[in-house]
Amino acid sequence: MTDTLFAGLTPAPADPILGVSEKFRADPRPQKVNLGVGAYLTEEGKTPLMEVVREAEEALAQSGQAHTYIPISGLPAYTAAVQKMVFGADSEIVLSGRAATVQTLGGTGALKVGMDFLHHVCGETRGVSSKPTWGNHFALLEQAGYEVGSYRYYDAANNDVDFNGMIEDLNALPAKTLVILHSCCHNPTGYDLTSEQWDEVIAVCQKRGLTPFLDMAYQGFRDGLAADAAAIHQFAKSGMNFLLATSFSKSFNLYGERIGALHVVTQSAQEAAVVLTQLKSCIRCNYSNPPAHGARIVERVLNDPAKFAQWEEELAVMRNRIRTMRHALADEMARIGAKRDFSFITRQNGMFSFTGLSPEQIDRLAADYGIYAVRNGRICICGLNTGNVEYVAKAIAEVL
Ligand code: LMR
């Protein structure tokens, strides 16, 4: 008898971002360039092993620690340190204990646990993110059972944020809508809100009874760790409930360790304690408890002021290289007389530039030049280096 359970299945489409890496890997051309996934690469095109990580791993290897289960909510030394780093050790949120923090499988894991909690435990049914956004936001919301929508964010004509459109759309949302917001280094546009604009967003969220869920995957890639958390401090000061997903994949180059955190900011320590029990039950029935290695590395750095300073320095090197490459690409586009002005690239933040290239132009870059990017026109600046920036600029100019 034929079992028909899987017989009628059609293949799922390749992931719009990680699928780009697969195509890049399969391309035999030596001059190929990967501007797809948001992952830092050195001038030599390699994922770095940070010195501060190497030292922590050496110390861990020496310690001969056994591989026990860690708590469902994560390593306590890690969650406490991350909470202090994100909100500030002397902040009202940390001192009052009104945030519940759990270790998660990267930023994506934090988003998923937070969405499950808001949907299954708090009864939220609608979720929105910016248009455009990181594609996985919509997919995650859908998988978690939400009715999915978007709010305007990008002003293509002026290469800026469509702030009026954003506020208008947020103002039209029903109460208890989960609103995903990129707290810095907006993915994919690279355009962030000013602090005055954040104040307005906070006021709308409060007035409409919306539930902000901030996503901070790129802390440290705009102006530095503390400065990049500015929007978080504004939300903290407002006194409202909000959720925050943070990740160390990028800032520690710990992509494969899946190390992130979910913070749920409530009204009191009592509320936070109850929320923590609910988060633990969401985690337990997903993956039981998180892995230990990434948390042990990060915890060692965050809890040691000298190592923390060393990490910040290494992060600054990465941030500065990206900025240099932004300028190099924009300058080269101008030098060769590209049909369009690309100076906006230098005004964008973080790893990405939203180029305005069409899907067909992105396809031509891949087919004719072996240059891979996301079809929505996002390029990851980290894939550029002094050896390939002229080649990339010329290719972009030719597909315009
Ligand atoms: C990206 O946007 O490229 C990164 O966040 C990696 C990913 O998982 O998509």
Side-chain angles (χ1 to χ4, degrees), residues 15 17-18 36-39 108 134 136 187 217-218 250 258 352 374 378:
D15 183 80
I17 296 174
L18 301 185
V37 68
T108 307
W134 179 54
N136 219 16
N187 179 3
Y218 295 90
K250 331 277 174 180
R258 311 310 300 134
F352 304 116
V374 184
R378 185 192 89 171

Side-chain angles (χ1 to χ4, degrees), residues 5-132:
L5 181 58
F6 307 124
L9 293 187
T10 51
D15 183 80
I17 296 174
L18 301 185
V20 174
S21 302
E22 286 168 27
K23 287 195 186 133
F24 170 79
R25 277 194 290 272
D27 190 329
R29 287 172 285 187
Q31 74 275 26
K32 65 183 177 176
V33 182
N34 190 1
L35 305 180
V37 68
Y40 182 77
L41 295 174
T42 61
E43 170 68 18
E44 294 73 36
K46 300 259 185 299
T47 303
L49 175 63
M50 291 170 108
E51 188 51 27
V52 79
V53 170
R54 201 189 56 73
E55 286 170 14
E57 287 193 305
E58 250 175 47
L60 283 172
Q62 297 292 324
S63 74
Q65 224 164 358
H67 298 277
T68 55
Y69 284 128
I70 67 170
I72 298 172
S73 52
L75 218 59
Y78 168 83
T79 48
V82 180
Q83 198 183 77
K84 285 185 190 141
M85 178 199 138
V86 169
F87 297 110
D90 301 326
S91 63
E92 175 274 322
I93 285 188
V94 169
L95 296 178
S96 67
R98 69 180 177 100
T101 296
V102 291
Q103 181 184 329
T104 57
L105 301 181
T108 307
L111 288 165
K112 181 63 165 64
V113 171
M115 287 174 189
D116 282 350
F117 165 67
L118 288 175
H119 184 60
H120 297 301
V121 182
C122 308
E124 301 223 329
T125 56
R126 275 185 211 85
V128 297
S129 191
S130 60
K131 192 174 166 205

Side-chain angles (χ1 to χ4, degrees), residues 334-351:
R335 194 186 68 77
I336 61 178
K339 270 189 266 173
R340 271 176 42 207
D341 174 18
F342 275 82
S343 59
F344 63 82
I345 293 179
T346 62
R347 297 200 311 275
Q348 298 166 329
N349 302 295
M351 286 192 178

Side-chain angles (χ1 to χ4, degrees), residues 24 32-35 37-51 221 250 252-253 255 314-325 351 380-389:
F24 170 79
K32 65 183 177 176
V33 182
N34 190 1
L35 305 180
V37 68
Y40 182 77
L41 295 174
T42 61
E43 170 68 18
E44 294 73 36
K46 300 259 185 299
T47 303
L49 175 63
M50 291 170 108
E51 188 51 27
F221 284 89
K250 331 277 174 180
F252 269 95
N253 293 292
Y255 303 96
E314 291 192 59
L315 189 52
V317 171
M318 303 190 332
R319 181 169 66 243
N320 293 335
R321 195 188 90 71
I322 297 172
R323 215 165 267 293
T324 305
M325 282 303 124
M351 286 192 178
C380 180
I381 300 290
C382 308
L384 296 174
N385 54 54
T386 49
N388 67 19
V389 68

